[in-house]
Amino acid sequence: MGIFDYFRQPRQKSASVAKERLQIIVARERAARSGPDYLPAMQQELLQVIRKYVQVDDDAVQMNVDREGDCEVLELNITLPDDKE
Amino acid sequence: MARIVVITSGKGGVGKTTTSAAIATGLALRGHKTAVIDFDVGLRNLDLIMGCERRVVYDFVNVINGDANLKQALIRDKRVDNLYILPASQTRDKDALTQDGVERVLNELSEDFEYIVCDSPAGIERGALMAAYFADEAIVVTNPEVSSVRDSDRILGILASKTRRVEQGGEPIEGKLLLTRYSAERAERGEMLSIEDVGEILAIELLGVIPESQAVLNASNAGQPVVLDEESDAGQAYQDAVDRFLGEERPLRFVDVPKKGFFGRLFKG
Ligand SMILES: Nc1ncnc2c1ncn2[C@@H]1O[C@H](COP(=O)(O)OP(=O)(O)OP(=O)(O)O)[C@@H](O)[C@H]1O
Ligand SMILES: [Mg+2]
């Protein structure tokens, strides 16, 4: 492969990376907006509690409020690290 | 009763003032009596873009505080009939924009104007909130770039919840997307978000696409809203946007890459 071919490699186009990142962050921010005001604080506190026991990333706690009929369902997702070492 | 239109974006420097000047001028050119208000208190700029900076005597905050009446503060455009500018104050801060004060000025303007265009400051603080609060319609100015799109989405959130209409139990206003500084070449090469990308993410009606254009800089150098440059791509794209705003159908222009001839390809390498 010549030196010029390197620059022509079809790496993923930067616009499509931008689009993917935007779709994720915008979806997350919309969910945060539509949820109750205490959600971000609750998320932080849950993170602290979990970290007493296991070291997790900043985005390990994901919360979502869904409406099902008359009920609001709080969905909580905690990603634990996979400790293979 | 006037229609109040806010030109907003969240992110700074994306083209709100350029757009406010263009849309207000376009509406006035079509015979609608229009006032354009600079809400960027402390950083007055609309006067320069409209080319009336040397005629500013009183400003928006003077009217709110009762130091001057609207007649004294409104600057009548010298080129276009039906067009008036209310400049921002340079010496005050944004706290001078009280909700009552802004409402009083808008109510008074409403009595004799058809459209009131509000040039919002960047950010999501008081000035921006006040510019949006009384709006009947919103034009969300967005560049095809990640931080601008994200900020536009936040602004859409504010429009959906923090306006007088919503607080009074009415339907939230629907923001319309104006994609500016668009480069068809760069989008085609995959280096810039395309119209479809931005449209898909924000999921609101597309009012228009304004190309990245030297004409905008020329216009601001001269103090002439770019719609008055009838030959220019950006001027025509803004004219189309005004027509669509008024309910006409206009195909998108300046969004395709011009096909290059043999020599164009040769020199591009
Ligand atoms: N379509 C365009 N093509 C080229 N340059 C543009 C275009 N639109 C805006 N600009 C340039 O971008 C800069 C910012 O424009 P403008 O002042 O209208 O933005 P703004 O959103 O009002 O900024 P601020 O947030 O500071 O109020 C200016 O230099 C302007 O000339
Ligand atoms: Mg501005």
Side-chain angles (χ1 to χ4, degrees), chain B residues 15-240:
Chain B
K16 293 179 292 297
T17 301
T18 304
T19 299
S20 300
I23 300 279
T25 305
L27 288 168
L29 283 171
R30 285 160 183 72
H32 301 292
K33 192 169 179 189
T34 303
V36 54
I37 307 182
D38 191 347
F39 273 75
D40 207 344
V41 173
L43 288 172
R44 168 201 295 169
N45 266 326
L46 180 68
D47 58 338
L48 268 181
I49 301 302
M50 295 294 299
C52 65
E53 68 279 4
R54 287 187 300 181
R55 296 166 63 208
V56 176
V57 182
Y58 294 110
D59 59 55
F60 192 14
V61 173
N62 290 141
V63 180
I64 288 177
N65 292 344
D67 308 329
N69 61 38
L70 257 178
K71 260 212 185 71
Q72 295 171 300
L74 279 174
I75 302 171
R76 190 170 163 274
D77 193 87
K78 285 194 166 151
R79 297 152 300 211
V80 180
D81 284 346
N82 301 313
L83 181 58
Y84 293 78
I85 299 110
L86 184 56
S89 166
Q90 260 183 324
T91 51
R92 308 299 291 264
D93 60 44
K94 307 221 192 291
D95 293 336
L97 296 179
T98 58
Q99 185 161 315
D100 284 354
V102 172
E103 183 168 20
R104 257 188 290 115
V105 174
L106 292 176
N107 283 346
E108 195 180 334
L109 282 171
S110 271
E111 286 167 20
D112 61 45
F113 283 88
E114 280 177 81
Y115 287 96
I116 302 172
V117 176
C118 303
D119 180 15
S120 173
I124 49 173
E125 320 266 292
R126 181 167 202 94
L129 295 180
M130 278 302 110
Y133 186 73
F134 298 98
D136 301 303
E137 307 205 42
I139 297 177
V140 180
V141 181
T142 308
N143 291 168
E145 174 268 325
V146 284
S147 51
S148 175
V149 176
R150 178 204 210 165
D151 286 359
S152 292
D153 195 67
R154 292 195 67 186
I155 284 292
L156 289 170
I158 288 173
L159 292 172
S161 61
K162 297 210 164 79
T163 63
R164 175 171 62 178
R165 290 246 293 232
V166 178
E167 284 179 8
Q168 292 177 348
E171 280 291 296
I173 59 176
E174 282 169 27
K176 292 183 178 145
L177 171 63
L178 189 72
L179 192 61
T180 66
R181 310 201 68 163
Y182 186 70
S183 160
E185 283 89 355
R186 296 178 65 193
E188 191 181 86
R189 288 200 299 267
E191 298 165 3
M192 183 186 258
L193 291 165
S194 67
I195 303 168
E196 294 74 25
D197 292 340
V198 180
E200 199 181 308
I201 291 163
L202 294 178
I204 53 174
E205 185 185 329
L206 180 66
L207 181 70
V209 178
I210 313 298
E212 171 76 23
S213 169
Q214 174 65 35
V216 173
L217 192 58
N218 295 348
S220 74
N221 284 341
Q224 292 241 13
V226 69
V227 273
L228 295 177
D229 184 353
E230 288 164 9
E231 307 288 294
S232 70
D233 50 358
Q236 294 177 34
Y238 271 117
Q239 294 280 16
D240 289 350

